[in-house]
Amino acid sequence: QRLELAQAYLPRPALQAAVGRVVGKQGLALAKQALGLGDEFCLGFGTRRRQSTYHTWATSTDHRGAMQTVQLLHVTDPHLFGDSSRELYGVDTAKSFRLVLAAALADGPRPDAIVVTGDIGDDCSAGAYGHLRDAFAGCGAPVYVLPGNHDDPALMVKLLDERGFQYCGRARVGGWGLVMLDTHVPGKAHGLLADSELTRLQADLHALGDVPVLVCLHHPPVPVGSAWLDGVGLANGAALLEVLDRNPR
């Protein structure tokens, strides 16, 4: 049971070692098998990607600024509690979050931005969101957050929408745009984009202009090949894809 939050995609040895100290190497392998996931998914922890937008065909002028390399740290599903000693399925989520975050920030350039895509507070408490704030204190990068099914959006707006944090909305990071969406459905595990959120997405894409845009949300909008995840995905994923299709980049 404690492996239900295990990590199925940990491409860097430092991250694998960090998580291995929490659930063990055998536990990671068993979790992949139990969840029916391959090496292409990330559940519960963060990975950093360096997104280079350089292309050999690009000219020397770039009015969009999209030639810049942007460093993003993506964190998801930490499942923190107000009481940091609590465990979830036998996993000390506060400890695992600290270890993975330390590993992610241990080497290479510091991130230009941090994106946290939901399931932050498993108990939806102010203390859980406070622990997230403390973890990123002094990181020197803006932190963008959005809710998952294990979250309280109203409390997130109150606690995670100031002093270096932004709740949902849009942003510019270098030559890229970010749009963070709210797919939370009270009391349900699956996600849904309200009509107002789809309208906002359209408006945000228009406002960001012709720069490349990363659209972030908690619930998968398309099937990912896992019976568990596909059962709690985004209920109106087709509506999201329709908006994106109308706004090619």
Side-chain angles (χ1 to χ4, degrees):
Q1 285 183 334
R2 76 189 188 96
L3 301 178
E4 291 186 17
L5 294 180
Q7 296 64 46
Y9 179 44
L10 296 167
R12 300 198 306 148
L15 285 172
Q16 293 178 15
V19 177
R21 286 195 291 273
V22 179
V23 298
K25 183 177 180 180
Q26 183 179 10
L28 290 175
L30 289 173
K32 291 181 183 182
Q33 181 179 5
L35 295 173
L37 298 175
D39 287 339
E40 67 271 26
F41 297 105
C42 174
L43 300 175
F45 288 89
T47 59
R48 181 169 57 200
R49 289 283 185 269
R50 181 167 65 181
Q51 176 60 60
S52 174
T53 58
Y54 176 79
H55 298 283
T56 56
W57 44 261
T59 64
S60 59
T61 59
D62 177 30
H63 72 282
R64 302 182 305 170
M67 293 284 290
Q68 296 176 254
T69 293
V70 172
Q71 298 276 351
L72 288 181
L73 173 60
H74 174 214
V75 179
T76 192
D77 294 65
H79 287 272
L80 301 173
F81 294 95
D83 178 357
S84 59
S85 67
R86 284 187 61 182
E87 296 183 346
L88 184 64
Y89 299 114
V91 174
D92 184 336
T93 60
K95 178 182 178 181
S96 62
F97 177 59
R98 290 194 304 270
L99 287 170
V100 173
L101 188 59
L105 296 174
D107 62 341
R110 296 304 248 183
D112 298 302
I114 298 168
V115 181
V116 187
T117 53
D119 278 8
I120 296 169
D122 195 82
D123 59 356
C124 297
S125 69
Y129 298 126
H131 294 321
L132 185 84
R133 288 197 65 93
D134 293 344
F136 289 119
C139 69
V143 181
Y144 302 101
V145 302
L146 58 86
N149 48 296
H150 288 279
D151 278 311
D152 182 336
L155 195 54
M156 289 177 68
V157 170
K158 182 179 179 180
L159 300 176
L160 298 176
D161 199 24
E162 60 178 2
R163 292 180 294 168
F165 284 75
Q166 178 180 319
Y167 174 83
C168 287
R170 68 173 184 265
R172 281 289 299 268
V173 180
W176 282 72
L178 297 178
V179 177
M180 284 68 65
L181 298 175
D182 177 358
T183 58
H184 178 83
V185 180
K188 302 294 183 181
H190 71 271
L192 183 75
L193 284 167
D195 290 344
S196 59
E197 200 70 350
L198 290 167
T199 299
R200 179 177 70 83
L201 171 61
Q202 175 67 49
D204 285 346
L205 292 173
H206 177 76
L208 287 167
D210 66 347
V211 301
V213 176
L214 178 64
V215 178
C216 306
L217 62 161
H218 179 75
H219 294 89
V222 296
V224 296
S226 163
W228 169 52
L229 285 177
D230 290 344
V232 292
L234 187 67
N236 57 343
L240 169 64
L241 299 181
E242 182 180 347
V243 174
L244 298 180
D245 286 343
R246 293 200 304 265
N247 296 270
R249 293 294 189 272

